[in-house]
Amino acid sequence: MASFVDRVVLHVSGGAGGHGCVSVKREKFKPLGGPDGGNGGDGGDVILRVDGQTTTLLDYHHAPHRHAGNGGPGMGDWRAGKTGETLVLSVPEGTVVKTKDGKVLADLVGMGAEYIAAAGGQGGLGNASLSSQKRKAPGFALLGTPGDERDIVLELKSIADIALVGFPSAGKSSLIAAMSAARPKIADYPFTTLIPNLGVVQAGDVRFTVADVPGLIEGASEGKGLGHHFLRHVERCAALVHVLDCAALETDRDPLGDLDVIEAELEKYEVDMSYAGADGDVVPLNQRPRLVALNKVDVPDGRDMAEFVRPELEKRGYRVFEVSAASHEGLRELGFAMAAIVAEARKAVETAPPRVAPPVVRPRSVNAKGGFTIRREERNLEPLFRVLGEKPVRWVQQTDFTNDEAVGYLADRLAKLGVEDQLFKAGAKPGDAVVIGEGDGVVFDWEPTMIGGAELLAASPRGSDIRIEEFSRPTRNEKREDHQKRKDARAAARAELEAERKAGIWTESVNYKHSRPTSGDDD
């Protein structure tokens, strides 16, 4: 079973916000207490936090799905729902947070460093918060929005000042054990070290960390051996120390050949931008300060080999140290040489001026006020208009579509935002499909004649909207046609009466009434 994991894919999701409450104050002798529905609680966040007691990502390898607590629903009597519990995930120092496509989101260096991996959803407003002068008793509340849901990649890059690189069984773990208090596993077979080992070394007034990168062989940068899994742990190091085995048992190996192979692998490895110097630039591994430690000189054949290859290494420009992890020979000199490089690197970081990005003046977006865009598409050879923006999408998520008054409130918000005006400008016609959000989203049959205004709600029962209750709403053209028909009908009626008057029908009727005999005449 694996005990060290330095790369995992984590599925995180923030807690959903609680729904708002629809309630009316009911109290003796106060029949018109008004709305008292409370707001829903916000969902909890998923936070990554650096913890000194955590050294591996093993927990997230076994349980990669993490979810924060949901917010509680609002209640009557103006009681708000509880806030969802925040989920804090402990990660080792040096953890880099990336997307699946390799984009760096955060580089967590320093104790207590945090990154919000998934934000919680927003709680919905209760009807008490939605009341206004025109909407005195809302019969609806807003729903809570879901939390963020995303897949992130966690990569652990050890925080070390010096990296020991070399072939398996070159003695890197033995050097760390001899120079520090670290006690890595040591054996006489290749690939004994399966995880990077860290050790703290004190040389004079300088204290620094040394890392052992296991499993580097020829082709490591292409996936051979174990080194391709752990080369990322070298990226933060200020210098490299080549540990060369001068007493190798293999007849086809020698210190110079091992050095050439390791240098070629370091040159092929591409350092990403998750770690950069004070000037913002990344130094390739093969261009960083390097020392050479000729190990195992306590063995007679090892000392002879070290004396043989030392002139060639110094000719190439390397500082060479003959060391022995068993007898501790040369370790003091090697430690002080490492400390000098580390001190110089730290001084450069402190004195280097920070890189300040020049300000960029960008023109304001056309829809910056509204915060939305409209994109024309086609679906089944019919026009479709897609409304995209943070506000419209969130408002749709907060709407209870089983409540007509809530749908009317959404229409008012969209109209106030300017969505209807932009749809007109985009060429939308009555009956065209309008989608809010990406994907399937929420589809509407656009009806531009829907009028907004909370003052109309007084004529409808709570929870309903007369603008929505109407099953068929006439368009402007239909209204004009109906109005014209009524005008024509009235004009025709007047013309008929005028024709009757001119024909004398009204006069005859009057004369006829006056010409009728009275009851006295009959007698």
Side-chain angles (χ1 to χ4, degrees), residues 365-377 379 384-396 414 417-420 422-423 426 433-442 444:
S365 174
V366 175
N367 292 320
K369 181 179 179 180
F372 69 94
T373 58
I374 295 179
R375 189 173 66 210
R376 185 187 177 105
E377 302 176 2
R379 177 182 294 180
L384 181 143
F385 297 87
R386 189 177 299 275
V387 181
L388 301 175
E390 187 268 338
K391 284 185 177 180
V393 172
R394 187 179 76 248
W395 291 349
V396 168
L414 295 176
L417 190 64
V419 174
E420 182 167 323
Q422 294 299 323
L423 286 173
V434 176
V435 181
I436 298 181
E438 291 286 2
D440 294 337
V442 180
F444 300 93

mmCIF file of all heavy atoms in Angstrom, residues 365-377 379 384-396 414 417-420 422-423 426 433-442 444:
data_model
loop_
_atom_site.group_PDB
_atom_site.id
_atom_site.type_symbol
_atom_site.label_atom_id
_atom_site.label_comp_id
_atom_site.label_asym_id
_atom_site.label_seq_id
_atom_site.Cartn_x
_atom_site.Cartn_y
_atom_site.Cartn_z
ATOM 1 N N SER A 365 -16.321 47.541 -20.923
ATOM 2 C CA SER A 365 -17.161 46.706 -21.773
ATOM 3 C C SER A 365 -18.501 47.384 -22.020
ATOM 4 O O SER A 365 -18.992 48.169 -21.206
ATOM 5 C CB SER A 365 -17.377 45.333 -21.122
ATOM 6 O OG SER A 365 -18.285 44.570 -21.859
ATOM 7 N N VAL A 366 -19.083 47.067 -23.163
ATOM 8 C CA VAL A 366 -20.368 47.656 -23.509
ATOM 9 C C VAL A 366 -21.424 47.274 -22.484
ATOM 10 O O VAL A 366 -22.260 48.069 -22.068
ATOM 11 C CB VAL A 366 -20.791 47.218 -24.929
ATOM 12 C CG1 VAL A 366 -22.186 47.732 -25.248
ATOM 13 C CG2 VAL A 366 -19.785 47.701 -25.951
ATOM 14 N N ASN A 367 -21.389 46.011 -22.044
ATOM 15 C CA ASN A 367 -22.389 45.510 -21.103
ATOM 16 C C ASN A 367 -21.851 45.455 -19.679
ATOM 17 O O ASN A 367 -22.276 44.643 -18.877
ATOM 18 C CB ASN A 367 -22.867 44.116 -21.527
ATOM 19 C CG ASN A 367 -23.667 44.154 -22.807
ATOM 20 O OD1 ASN A 367 -24.466 45.055 -23.008
ATOM 21 N ND2 ASN A 367 -23.422 43.210 -23.689
ATOM 22 N N ALA A 368 -20.875 46.324 -19.386
ATOM 23 C CA ALA A 368 -20.287 46.272 -18.051
ATOM 24 C C ALA A 368 -21.310 46.632 -16.975
ATOM 25 O O ALA A 368 -21.291 46.095 -15.883
ATOM 26 C CB ALA A 368 -19.094 47.227 -17.970
ATOM 27 N N LYS A 369 -22.225 47.546 -17.301
ATOM 28 C CA LYS A 369 -23.217 47.934 -16.306
ATOM 29 C C LYS A 369 -24.157 46.779 -16.005
ATOM 30 O O LYS A 369 -24.474 46.494 -14.862
ATOM 31 C CB LYS A 369 -23.996 49.149 -16.815
ATOM 32 C CG LYS A 369 -25.034 49.650 -15.828
ATOM 33 C CD LYS A 369 -25.755 50.859 -16.370
ATOM 34 C CE LYS A 369 -26.816 51.345 -15.391
ATOM 35 N NZ LYS A 369 -27.532 52.530 -15.894
ATOM 36 N N GLY A 370 -24.624 46.140 -17.053
ATOM 37 C CA GLY A 370 -25.554 45.046 -16.841
ATOM 38 C C GLY A 370 -24.870 43.751 -16.446
ATOM 39 O O GLY A 370 -25.451 42.927 -15.762
ATOM 40 N N GLY A 371 -23.630 43.571 -16.885
ATOM 41 C CA GLY A 371 -22.906 42.358 -16.542
ATOM 42 C C GLY A 371 -23.426 41.130 -17.239
ATOM 43 O O GLY A 371 -23.426 40.048 -16.662
ATOM 44 N N PHE A 372 -23.891 41.261 -18.494
ATOM 45 C CA PHE A 372 -24.389 40.106 -19.224
ATOM 46 C C PHE A 372 -24.129 40.334 -20.705
ATOM 47 O O PHE A 372 -23.889 41.454 -21.168
ATOM 48 C CB PHE A 372 -25.885 39.895 -18.980
ATOM 49 C CG PHE A 372 -26.760 40.959 -19.594
ATOM 50 C CD1 PHE A 372 -27.309 40.797 -20.857
ATOM 51 C CD2 PHE A 372 -27.013 42.142 -18.910
ATOM 52 C CE1 PHE A 372 -28.094 41.780 -21.422
ATOM 53 C CE2 PHE A 372 -27.801 43.124 -19.461
ATOM 54 C CZ PHE A 372 -28.346 42.945 -20.729
ATOM 55 N N THR A 373 -24.167 39.241 -21.450
ATOM 56 C CA THR A 373 -24.035 39.279 -22.904
ATOM 57 C C THR A 373 -25.130 38.410 -23.510
ATOM 58 O O THR A 373 -25.646 37.494 -22.861
ATOM 59 C CB THR A 373 -22.655 38.772 -23.359
ATOM 60 O OG1 THR A 373 -22.467 37.436 -22.871
ATOM 61 C CG2 THR A 373 -21.546 39.659 -22.841
ATOM 62 N N ILE A 374 -25.450 38.710 -24.759
ATOM 63 C CA ILE A 374 -26.467 37.946 -25.484
ATOM 64 C C ILE A 374 -25.833 37.397 -26.749
ATOM 65 O O ILE A 374 -25.213 38.139 -27.520
ATOM 66 C CB ILE A 374 -27.687 38.827 -25.823
ATOM 67 C CG1 ILE A 374 -28.386 39.258 -24.529
ATOM 68 C CG2 ILE A 374 -28.657 38.082 -26.719
ATOM 69 C CD1 ILE A 374 -29.586 40.142 -24.753
ATOM 70 N N ARG A 375 -25.970 36.103 -26.939
ATOM 71 C CA ARG A 375 -25.382 35.422 -28.090
ATOM 72 C C ARG A 375 -26.493 34.766 -28.905
ATOM 73 O O ARG A 375 -27.327 34.050 -28.358
ATOM 74 C CB ARG A 375 -24.376 34.368 -27.611
ATOM 75 C CG ARG A 375 -23.556 33.741 -28.727
ATOM 76 C CD ARG A 375 -22.495 32.845 -28.118
ATOM 77 N NE ARG A 375 -23.059 31.693 -27.440
ATOM 78 C CZ ARG A 375 -22.501 31.090 -26.389
ATOM 79 N NH1 ARG A 375 -21.379 31.544 -25.884
ATOM 80 N NH2 ARG A 375 -23.079 30.030 -25.836
ATOM 81 N N ARG A 376 -26.489 35.045 -30.182
ATOM 82 C CA ARG A 376 -27.510 34.467 -31.071
ATOM 83 C C ARG A 376 -27.036 33.119 -31.580
ATOM 84 O O ARG A 376 -25.909 32.985 -32.067
ATOM 85 C CB ARG A 376 -27.799 35.412 -32.239
ATOM 86 C CG ARG A 376 -28.939 34.926 -33.148
ATOM 87 C CD ARG A 376 -29.071 35.795 -34.382
ATOM 88 N NE ARG A 376 -30.119 35.286 -35.271
ATOM 89 C CZ ARG A 376 -31.312 35.820 -35.410
ATOM 90 N NH1 ARG A 376 -31.632 36.897 -34.704
ATOM 91 N NH2 ARG A 376 -32.200 35.312 -36.250
ATOM 92 N N GLU A 377 -27.908 32.115 -31.474
ATOM 93 C CA GLU A 377 -27.605 30.770 -31.941
ATOM 94 C C GLU A 377 -28.784 30.247 -32.746
ATOM 95 O O GLU A 377 -29.766 30.966 -32.980
ATOM 96 C CB GLU A 377 -27.304 29.841 -30.748
ATOM 97 C CG GLU A 377 -26.150 30.303 -29.860
ATOM 98 C CD GLU A 377 -25.974 29.408 -28.659
ATOM 99 O OE1 GLU A 377 -26.734 28.417 -28.543
ATOM 100 O OE2 GLU A 377 -25.095 29.690 -27.825
ATOM 101 N N ARG A 379 -31.247 26.578 -33.153
ATOM 102 C CA ARG A 379 -31.599 25.236 -32.665
ATOM 103 C C ARG A 379 -32.785 24.756 -33.487
ATOM 104 O O ARG A 379 -33.843 25.391 -33.498
ATOM 105 C CB ARG A 379 -31.948 25.274 -31.177
ATOM 106 C CG ARG A 379 -32.399 23.935 -30.618
ATOM 107 C CD ARG A 379 -32.777 24.033 -29.159
ATOM 108 N NE ARG A 379 -31.633 24.350 -28.327
ATOM 109 C CZ ARG A 379 -31.714 24.482 -26.995
ATOM 110 N NH1 ARG A 379 -32.890 24.334 -26.382
ATOM 111 N NH2 ARG A 379 -30.635 24.774 -26.298
ATOM 112 N N LEU A 384 -32.312 31.155 -31.587
ATOM 113 C CA LEU A 384 -32.227 30.989 -30.140
ATOM 114 C C LEU A 384 -31.274 32.052 -29.606
ATOM 115 O O LEU A 384 -30.177 32.242 -30.151
ATOM 116 C CB LEU A 384 -31.757 29.588 -29.765
ATOM 117 C CG LEU A 384 -31.648 29.253 -28.274
ATOM 118 C CD1 LEU A 384 -32.073 27.820 -28.029
ATOM 119 C CD2 LEU A 384 -30.226 29.452 -27.778
ATOM 120 N N PHE A 385 -31.675 32.730 -28.545
ATOM 121 C CA PHE A 385 -30.866 33.785 -27.952
ATOM 122 C C PHE A 385 -30.439 33.340 -26.556
ATOM 123 O O PHE A 385 -31.283 33.018 -25.718
ATOM 124 C CB PHE A 385 -31.653 35.096 -27.887
ATOM 125 C CG PHE A 385 -32.026 35.631 -29.246
ATOM 126 C CD1 PHE A 385 -33.189 35.211 -29.870
ATOM 127 C CD2 PHE A 385 -31.207 36.531 -29.893
ATOM 128 C CE1 PHE A 385 -33.539 35.692 -31.119
ATOM 129 C CE2 PHE A 385 -31.543 37.020 -31.144
ATOM 130 C CZ PHE A 385 -32.704 36.596 -31.763
ATOM 131 N N ARG A 386 -29.109 33.324 -26.334
ATOM 132 C CA ARG A 386 -28.564 32.841 -25.066
ATOM 133 C C ARG A 386 -28.064 34.035 -24.251
ATOM 134 O O ARG A 386 -27.230 34.817 -24.700
ATOM 135 C CB ARG A 386 -27.419 31.857 -25.312
ATOM 136 C CG ARG A 386 -26.940 31.155 -24.041
ATOM 137 C CD ARG A 386 -25.859 30.134 -24.370
ATOM 138 N NE ARG A 386 -26.363 29.102 -25.257
ATOM 139 C CZ ARG A 386 -27.016 28.026 -24.824
ATOM 140 N NH1 ARG A 386 -27.247 27.865 -23.529
ATOM 141 N NH2 ARG A 386 -27.429 27.120 -25.688
ATOM 142 N N VAL A 387 -28.583 34.167 -23.040
ATOM 143 C CA VAL A 387 -28.196 35.238 -22.129
ATOM 144 C C VAL A 387 -27.162 34.683 -21.150
ATOM 145 O O VAL A 387 -27.429 33.713 -20.435
ATOM 146 C CB VAL A 387 -29.416 35.783 -21.360
ATOM 147 C CG1 VAL A 387 -28.993 36.921 -20.430
ATOM 148 C CG2 VAL A 387 -30.484 36.266 -22.336
ATOM 149 N N LEU A 388 -25.972 35.289 -21.145
ATOM 150 C CA LEU A 388 -24.882 34.829 -20.299
ATOM 151 C C LEU A 388 -24.462 35.959 -19.367
ATOM 152 O O LEU A 388 -24.357 37.113 -19.780
ATOM 153 C CB LEU A 388 -23.685 34.387 -21.148
ATOM 154 C CG LEU A 388 -23.947 33.266 -22.155
ATOM 155 C CD1 LEU A 388 -22.713 33.028 -23.014
ATOM 156 C CD2 LEU A 388 -24.335 31.990 -21.442
ATOM 157 N N GLY A 389 -24.220 35.615 -18.143
ATOM 158 C CA GLY A 389 -23.799 36.605 -17.158
ATOM 159 C C GLY A 389 -23.979 36.069 -15.757
ATOM 160 O O GLY A 389 -24.836 35.224 -15.494
ATOM 161 N N GLU A 390 -23.178 36.589 -14.835
ATOM 162 C CA GLU A 390 -23.222 36.084 -13.463
ATOM 163 C C GLU A 390 -24.562 36.380 -12.808
ATOM 164 O O GLU A 390 -25.150 35.525 -12.140
ATOM 165 C CB GLU A 390 -22.076 36.721 -12.671
ATOM 166 C CG GLU A 390 -21.905 36.153 -11.259
ATOM 167 C CD GLU A 390 -22.679 36.944 -10.223
ATOM 168 O OE1 GLU A 390 -22.980 38.130 -10.498
ATOM 169 O OE2 GLU A 390 -23.008 36.376 -9.164
ATOM 170 N N LYS A 391 -25.106 37.571 -13.017
ATOM 171 C CA LYS A 391 -26.363 37.925 -12.375
ATOM 172 C C LYS A 391 -27.553 37.147 -12.929
ATOM 173 O O LYS A 391 -28.320 36.555 -12.159
ATOM 174 C CB LYS A 391 -26.601 39.432 -12.505
ATOM 175 C CG LYS A 391 -25.754 40.269 -11.567
ATOM 176 C CD LYS A 391 -26.142 41.730 -11.668
ATOM 177 C CE LYS A 391 -25.338 42.564 -10.673
ATOM 178 N NZ LYS A 391 -25.711 44.004 -10.764
ATOM 179 N N PRO A 392 -27.763 37.141 -14.251
ATOM 180 C CA PRO A 392 -28.931 36.391 -14.746
ATOM 181 C C PRO A 392 -28.908 34.918 -14.369
ATOM 182 O O PRO A 392 -29.945 34.353 -14.002
ATOM 183 C CB PRO A 392 -28.864 36.590 -16.264
ATOM 184 C CG PRO A 392 -28.077 37.832 -16.462
ATOM 185 C CD PRO A 392 -27.081 37.848 -15.352
ATOM 186 N N VAL A 393 -27.737 34.292 -14.438
ATOM 187 C CA VAL A 393 -27.651 32.867 -14.104
ATOM 188 C C VAL A 393 -27.977 32.655 -12.628
ATOM 189 O O VAL A 393 -28.698 31.724 -12.256
ATOM 190 C CB VAL A 393 -26.251 32.325 -14.457
ATOM 191 C CG1 VAL A 393 -26.088 30.903 -13.942
ATOM 192 C CG2 VAL A 393 -26.031 32.367 -15.965
ATOM 193 N N ARG A 394 -27.456 33.522 -11.774
ATOM 194 C CA ARG A 394 -27.738 33.375 -10.340
ATOM 195 C C ARG A 394 -29.208 33.629 -10.047
ATOM 196 O O ARG A 394 -29.819 32.938 -9.215
ATOM 197 C CB ARG A 394 -26.861 34.334 -9.534
ATOM 198 C CG ARG A 394 -26.981 34.112 -8.028
ATOM 199 C CD ARG A 394 -26.114 35.029 -7.223
ATOM 200 N NE ARG A 394 -26.662 36.381 -7.155
ATOM 201 C CZ ARG A 394 -26.127 37.442 -7.718
ATOM 202 N NH1 ARG A 394 -25.004 37.332 -8.415
ATOM 203 N NH2 ARG A 394 -26.672 38.645 -7.609
ATOM 204 N N TRP A 395 -29.794 34.605 -10.706
ATOM 205 C CA TRP A 395 -31.215 34.901 -10.465
ATOM 206 C C TRP A 395 -32.104 33.730 -10.874
ATOM 207 O O TRP A 395 -33.096 33.438 -10.207
ATOM 208 C CB TRP A 395 -31.605 36.149 -11.229
ATOM 209 C CG TRP A 395 -30.985 37.409 -10.690
ATOM 210 C CD1 TRP A 395 -30.322 37.542 -9.500
ATOM 211 C CD2 TRP A 395 -30.947 38.692 -11.306
ATOM 212 N NE1 TRP A 395 -29.874 38.824 -9.344
ATOM 213 C CE2 TRP A 395 -30.241 39.561 -10.434
ATOM 214 C CE3 TRP A 395 -31.423 39.197 -12.512
ATOM 215 C CZ2 TRP A 395 -30.027 40.898 -10.740
ATOM 216 C CZ3 TRP A 395 -31.215 40.526 -12.808
ATOM 217 C CH2 TRP A 395 -30.524 41.370 -11.939
ATOM 218 N N VAL A 396 -31.755 33.070 -11.961
ATOM 219 C CA VAL A 396 -32.538 31.905 -12.385
ATOM 220 C C VAL A 396 -32.419 30.785 -11.357
ATOM 221 O O VAL A 396 -33.394 30.101 -11.035
ATOM 222 C CB VAL A 396 -32.076 31.444 -13.781
ATOM 223 C CG1 VAL A 396 -32.654 30.076 -14.104
ATOM 224 C CG2 VAL A 396 -32.511 32.449 -14.842
ATOM 225 N N LEU A 414 -34.938 40.960 -14.621
ATOM 226 C CA LEU A 414 -34.301 40.907 -15.931
ATOM 227 C C LEU A 414 -34.601 42.155 -16.746
ATOM 228 O O LEU A 414 -33.727 42.678 -17.454
ATOM 229 C CB LEU A 414 -34.744 39.650 -16.682
ATOM 230 C CG LEU A 414 -34.317 38.311 -16.081
ATOM 231 C CD1 LEU A 414 -34.912 37.157 -16.879
ATOM 232 C CD2 LEU A 414 -32.797 38.195 -16.045
ATOM 233 N N LEU A 417 -32.518 44.964 -15.456
ATOM 234 C CA LEU A 417 -31.122 44.801 -15.851
ATOM 235 C C LEU A 417 -30.881 45.218 -17.295
ATOM 236 O O LEU A 417 -29.754 45.525 -17.674
ATOM 237 C CB LEU A 417 -30.700 43.337 -15.644
ATOM 238 C CG LEU A 417 -29.218 43.005 -15.783
ATOM 239 C CD1 LEU A 417 -28.398 43.713 -14.711
ATOM 240 C CD2 LEU A 417 -29.003 41.499 -15.688
ATOM 241 N N GLY A 418 -31.931 45.237 -18.100
ATOM 242 C CA GLY A 418 -31.802 45.637 -19.495
ATOM 243 C C GLY A 418 -31.766 44.484 -20.467
ATOM 244 O O GLY A 418 -31.390 44.663 -21.628
ATOM 245 N N VAL A 419 -32.164 43.292 -20.025
ATOM 246 C CA VAL A 419 -32.115 42.127 -20.905
ATOM 247 C C VAL A 419 -33.096 42.285 -22.066
ATOM 248 O O VAL A 419 -32.774 41.970 -23.219
ATOM 249 C CB VAL A 419 -32.408 40.843 -20.100
ATOM 250 C CG1 VAL A 419 -32.518 39.638 -21.022
ATOM 251 C CG2 VAL A 419 -31.317 40.610 -19.068
ATOM 252 N N GLU A 420 -34.306 42.806 -21.784
ATOM 253 C CA GLU A 420 -35.306 42.918 -22.840
ATOM 254 C C GLU A 420 -34.860 43.904 -23.918
ATOM 255 O O GLU A 420 -35.020 43.644 -25.117
ATOM 256 C CB GLU A 420 -36.643 43.354 -22.250
ATOM 257 C CG GLU A 420 -37.756 43.451 -23.279
ATOM 258 C CD GLU A 420 -39.132 43.585 -22.645
ATOM 259 O OE1 GLU A 420 -39.354 42.943 -21.604
ATOM 260 O OE2 GLU A 420 -39.951 44.319 -23.197
ATOM 261 N N GLN A 422 -31.806 44.621 -24.760
ATOM 262 C CA GLN A 422 -30.728 44.017 -25.543
ATOM 263 C C GLN A 422 -31.264 42.931 -26.480
ATOM 264 O O GLN A 422 -30.735 42.729 -27.574
ATOM 265 C CB GLN A 422 -29.662 43.434 -24.616
ATOM 266 C CG GLN A 422 -28.908 44.483 -23.809
ATOM 267 C CD GLN A 422 -28.158 45.454 -24.696
ATOM 268 O OE1 GLN A 422 -27.616 45.072 -25.744
ATOM 269 N NE2 GLN A 422 -28.119 46.721 -24.298
ATOM 270 N N LEU A 423 -32.313 42.223 -26.051
ATOM 271 C CA LEU A 423 -32.916 41.225 -26.937
ATOM 272 C C LEU A 423 -33.541 41.905 -28.154
ATOM 273 O O LEU A 423 -33.450 41.394 -29.278
ATOM 274 C CB LEU A 423 -33.959 40.419 -26.176
ATOM 275 C CG LEU A 423 -33.421 39.385 -25.181
ATOM 276 C CD1 LEU A 423 -34.557 38.782 -24.365
ATOM 277 C CD2 LEU A 423 -32.669 38.274 -25.908
ATOM 278 N N ALA A 426 -30.788 42.720 -30.438
ATOM 279 C CA ALA A 426 -30.215 41.526 -31.064
ATOM 280 C C ALA A 426 -31.124 40.934 -32.130
ATOM 281 O O ALA A 426 -30.738 39.963 -32.800
ATOM 282 C CB ALA A 426 -29.903 40.475 -30.002
ATOM 283 N N ALA A 433 -37.072 31.546 -28.743
ATOM 284 C CA ALA A 433 -36.562 30.881 -27.542
ATOM 285 C C ALA A 433 -35.395 31.686 -26.967
ATOM 286 O O ALA A 433 -34.500 32.119 -27.689
ATOM 287 C CB ALA A 433 -36.114 29.462 -27.867
ATOM 288 N N VAL A 434 -35.429 31.876 -25.663
ATOM 289 C CA VAL A 434 -34.370 32.573 -24.933
ATOM 290 C C VAL A 434 -33.874 31.644 -23.839
ATOM 291 O O VAL A 434 -34.668 31.121 -23.049
ATOM 292 C CB VAL A 434 -34.875 33.894 -24.325
ATOM 293 C CG1 VAL A 434 -33.784 34.554 -23.500
ATOM 294 C CG2 VAL A 434 -35.354 34.831 -25.419
ATOM 295 N N VAL A 435 -32.563 31.398 -23.816
ATOM 296 C CA VAL A 435 -31.946 30.510 -22.836
ATOM 297 C C VAL A 435 -31.051 31.343 -21.932
ATOM 298 O O VAL A 435 -30.263 32.159 -22.413
ATOM 299 C CB VAL A 435 -31.124 29.401 -23.515
ATOM 300 C CG1 VAL A 435 -30.506 28.473 -22.466
ATOM 301 C CG2 VAL A 435 -31.997 28.603 -24.464
ATOM 302 N N ILE A 436 -31.159 31.147 -20.641
ATOM 303 C CA ILE A 436 -30.308 31.824 -19.673
ATOM 304 C C ILE A 436 -29.315 30.811 -19.123
ATOM 305 O O ILE A 436 -29.693 29.834 -18.494
ATOM 306 C CB ILE A 436 -31.128 32.440 -18.535
ATOM 307 C CG1 ILE A 436 -32.086 33.498 -19.098
ATOM 308 C CG2 ILE A 436 -30.217 33.073 -17.485
ATOM 309 C CD1 ILE A 436 -32.927 34.172 -18.050
ATOM 310 N N GLY A 437 -28.037 31.043 -19.403
ATOM 311 C CA GLY A 437 -26.989 30.149 -18.942
ATOM 312 C C GLY A 437 -26.483 29.251 -20.048
ATOM 313 O O GLY A 437 -27.073 29.136 -21.118
ATOM 314 N N GLU A 438 -25.339 28.595 -19.769
ATOM 315 C CA GLU A 438 -24.741 27.672 -20.723
ATOM 316 C C GLU A 438 -25.481 26.342 -20.713
ATOM 317 O O GLU A 438 -26.271 26.051 -19.831
ATOM 318 C CB GLU A 438 -23.260 27.447 -20.379
ATOM 319 C CG GLU A 438 -22.369 28.663 -20.604
ATOM 320 C CD GLU A 438 -22.105 28.914 -22.082
ATOM 321 O OE1 GLU A 438 -22.654 28.171 -22.933
ATOM 322 O OE2 GLU A 438 -21.360 29.863 -22.388
ATOM 323 N N GLY A 439 -25.191 25.534 -21.746
ATOM 324 C CA GLY A 439 -25.823 24.224 -21.830
ATOM 325 C C GLY A 439 -27.307 24.344 -22.098
ATOM 326 O O GLY A 439 -27.779 25.228 -22.818
ATOM 327 N N ASP A 440 -28.062 23.449 -21.501
ATOM 328 C CA ASP A 440 -29.509 23.490 -21.663
ATOM 329 C C ASP A 440 -30.111 24.716 -20.985
ATOM 330 O O ASP A 440 -31.011 25.352 -21.513
ATOM 331 C CB ASP A 440 -30.140 22.220 -21.103
ATOM 332 C CG ASP A 440 -29.730 20.992 -21.897
ATOM 333 O OD1 ASP A 440 -29.356 21.164 -23.072
ATOM 334 O OD2 ASP A 440 -29.762 19.887 -21.334
ATOM 335 N N GLY A 441 -29.572 25.071 -19.812
ATOM 336 C CA GLY A 441 -30.042 26.251 -19.123
ATOM 337 C C GLY A 441 -31.541 26.227 -18.876
ATOM 338 O O GLY A 441 -32.176 25.182 -18.792
ATOM 339 N N VAL A 442 -32.123 27.413 -18.758
ATOM 340 C CA VAL A 442 -33.563 27.576 -18.594
ATOM 341 C C VAL A 442 -34.093 28.267 -19.843
ATOM 342 O O VAL A 442 -33.651 29.356 -20.194
ATOM 343 C CB VAL A 442 -33.892 28.407 -17.342
ATOM 344 C CG1 VAL A 442 -35.394 28.573 -17.198
ATOM 345 C CG2 VAL A 442 -33.323 27.725 -16.100
ATOM 346 N N PHE A 444 -37.012 30.012 -22.195
ATOM 347 C CA PHE A 444 -38.246 30.783 -22.147
ATOM 348 C C PHE A 444 -38.715 31.049 -23.574
ATOM 349 O O PHE A 444 -37.898 31.171 -24.491
ATOM 350 C CB PHE A 444 -38.043 32.137 -21.444
ATOM 351 C CG PHE A 444 -37.582 32.033 -20.019
ATOM 352 C CD1 PHE A 444 -36.236 32.056 -19.699
ATOM 353 C CD2 PHE A 444 -38.500 31.926 -18.994
ATOM 354 C CE1 PHE A 444 -35.807 31.968 -18.393
ATOM 355 C CE2 PHE A 444 -38.086 31.846 -17.679
ATOM 356 C CZ PHE A 444 -36.741 31.859 -17.375
#
